[in-house]
Amino acid sequence: MATSGKVIRCRAAVIWAAGKPFSLEEVEVAPPKAGEVRIKIVATGICHTDYHVLKGTFPGAKFPVIPGHEGAGIVESVGEGVTSVKPGDKVIPFAVPHCGECSFCLNPESNYCLRGHFTQSQNLLPDKTSRFTCKGKQIHHFFWTSTFAEYTVVPEYAVAKIDAAAPLDKVFLFGCGFSTGYGAAINTAKVKPGSTCAVFGLGGVGLSVIIGCKAAGASRIFAIDINKDKFVKAKELGATECISPQDFNKPIQEVITEMTGYGVDYSFEAIGLPDTMIAALASCNMNTGVCVMIGQPPADSVLSLDPMLLLTGRTWKGTLLGGWRMKDSIPKLVSSYLEKKINSDLLITHTLPIAEVNEGFELLRAGKSIRSVLLF
Ligand code: APR
Ligand code: ZN
Ligand code: ZN
């Protein structure tokens, strides 16, 4: 490509300081170094985790920063030694890398790489430098994805090649929201046919859990949200009962326990609040119930709970990106989408130009959107 080896000037949505809105800026993006890939981002989704960055409640995020971790694009150029993708390939970058070498990657049961953000900061690329500058200042990366930039640079082990036929303005969802929710049901909980499920939070992630529970053959799927506008879509995707905690004068866990006899087989928290995490745990059957935590809590959150909740046998699990090993799994999920085995399109409610990134986050905050897709 004509731009290969050169600095590219392009648009990006930058947050200069915690709590400040996005500014659309012209940024410089340096060429990829060895083992890195420069991608032209075509479409990127607005996920709740980026909202934490915006508010300054994402643990370890550094400013100024270019957020965004749910994007899809086309490889522009590659650094030395890169073999798994080439210029022109359609790709999806992902926030939980897969270096294939660390002890976690070598464990086939693990999908967390020790180079991930929770053990090694992803505010800069692995060589501890940034490829982004703006107005003479270095801008931080986020999650090694930074998909709110028209061109971004990521390590080869944090990007997967997908089918050339994939529509980028649809499959960007596989970079986070859809994969996270669907995988939480399929991989982490391993929902069984005929079982009962309860999903707390009906955003893009929670609705994807519902798609996963339905695909796994659950017989009853409770959908829980304080925003009843979310119920129509939840039903369309497979929820059998929709309930708002605000309609009851007792805790929602008691309501669900009564409705099911002893609690559901599987519960999921896709909100990210301490109270709903405990409510989700208490909503599953005291003995064989499994509760999966998906929601990202604000930095420094602390939970307190009655230990009896666990002593009687419940299983409490977390999940990152739905347990998928993304480098191998994203191409397969995209292929299933192309074969029409997965329909994630219903989750995309708004399409906006990148210049309207702040409006996109306002739609999410106000509960009006499920997923907005930003186009460059
Ligand atoms: N009780 C029930 N539902 C609630 C409550 C509550 N107390 N508070 C918020 N909700 C609902 C909102 O009304 C909204 O529909 O939770 C939903 C959250 O959805 P989104 O904001 O769209 O978030 P989403 O992108 O789906 O992510 C959910 O998963 O990956 C994590 O970081 C992500 O923590 C976030 C969570
Ligand atoms: Zn690793
Ligand atoms: Zn996300």
Side-chain angles (χ1 to χ4, degrees), residues 222-238:
F222 294 87
I224 300 129
D225 203 297
I226 48 176
N227 179 353
K228 292 186 180 179
D229 294 346
K230 307 271 175 141
F231 291 173
V232 176
K233 202 147 267 187
K235 283 232 163 101
E236 204 177 336
L237 293 171

Side-chain angles (χ1 to χ4, degrees), residues 13-25 50-58 61-67 134-135 137-140 358:
V14 177
I15 304 178
W16 288 99
K20 289 267 178 335
F22 285 93
S23 318
L24 198 72
E25 305 282 4
D50 300 301
Y51 188 53
H52 277 303
V53 182
L54 184 64
K55 286 189 300 180
T57 52
F58 186 80
K62 290 228 174 82
F63 297 89
V65 63
I66 300 174
C134 178
K135 296 175 180 158
K137 291 205 178 72
Q138 173 192 278
I139 310 294
H140 287 94
N358 286 310

Side-chain angles (χ1 to χ4, degrees), residues 106-191:
L106 291 172
N107 175 353
E109 284 175 26
S110 159
N111 82 320
Y112 182 77
C113 171
L114 289 170
R115 300 190 182 199
H117 187 79
F118 300 99
T119 40
Q120 179 183 315
S121 164
Q122 292 174 309
N123 294 315
L124 294 168
L125 288 182
D127 74 345
K128 307 287 179 225
T129 62
S130 170
R131 300 293 159 271
F132 297 120
T133 51
C134 178
K135 296 175 180 158
K137 291 205 178 72
Q138 173 192 278
I139 310 294
H140 287 94
H141 290 250
F142 176 66
F143 267 171
W144 290 346
T145 49
S146 293
T147 55
F148 290 171
E150 194 175 0
Y151 286 84
T152 188
V153 179
V154 308
E156 181 183 11
Y157 49 77
V159 61
K161 178 180 169 174
I162 56 168
D163 196 306
L168 298 177
D169 60 345
K170 302 280 192 274
V171 300
F172 70 91
L173 264 179
F174 291 83
C176 178
F178 181 78
S179 304
T180 298
Y182 186 71
I186 303 281
N187 300 325
T188 313
K190 297 191 169 60
V191 170

Side-chain angles (χ1 to χ4, degrees), residues 1-10 27-33 38 76-78 131 151 153:
M1 301 234 171
T3 46
S4 173
K6 294 181 189 147
V7 169
I8 292 179
R9 294 178 75 84
C10 64
V27 299
E28 296 87 37
V29 186
K33 292 190 185 174
R38 188 159 62 180
E76 176 268 339
S77 63
V78 300
R131 300 293 159 271
Y151 286 84
V153 179

Side-chain angles (χ1 to χ4, degrees), residues 169-330:
D169 60 345
K170 302 280 192 274
V171 300
F172 70 91
L173 264 179
F174 291 83
C176 178
F178 181 78
S179 304
T180 298
Y182 186 71
I186 303 281
N187 300 325
T188 313
K190 297 191 169 60
V191 170
K192 292 193 191 113
S195 61
T196 52
C197 300
V199 182
F200 287 72
L202 305 175
V205 175
L207 291 173
S208 301
V209 176
I210 292 177
I211 297 175
C213 293
K214 185 170 182 204
S219 61
R220 278 178 95 180
I221 303 172
F222 294 87
I224 300 129
D225 203 297
I226 48 176
N227 179 353
K228 292 186 180 179
D229 294 346
K230 307 271 175 141
F231 291 173
V232 176
K233 202 147 267 187
K235 283 232 163 101
E236 204 177 336
L237 293 171
T240 56
E241 284 129 290
C242 294
I243 45 181
S244 166
Q246 293 172 339
D247 286 349
F248 302 89
N249 48 21
K250 56 185 162 191
I252 192 71
Q253 52 267 45
E254 286 178 27
V255 176
I256 292 172
T257 305
E258 279 166 22
M259 287 174 89
T260 52
Y262 301 97
V264 291
D265 297 310
Y266 306 97
S267 56
F268 301 86
E269 204 274 0
I271 302 166
L273 294 175
D275 284 353
T276 45
M277 289 174 182
I278 301 292
L281 176 64
S283 296
C284 73
N285 162 341
M286 65 185 281
N287 183 223
T288 54
V290 175
C291 174
V292 180
M293 300 233 284
I294 315 168
Q296 164 95 47
D300 303 323
S301 297
V302 174
L303 284 177
S304 85
L305 79 157
D306 177 353
M308 284 307 292
L309 282 169
L310 293 170
L311 201 71
T312 53
R314 285 184 176 89
T315 303
W316 203 6
K317 307 174 94 172
T319 187
L320 276 178
L321 278 174
W324 303 106
R325 298 181 132 214
M326 295 295 265
K327 185 110 183 156
D328 300 333
S329 299
I330 286 187

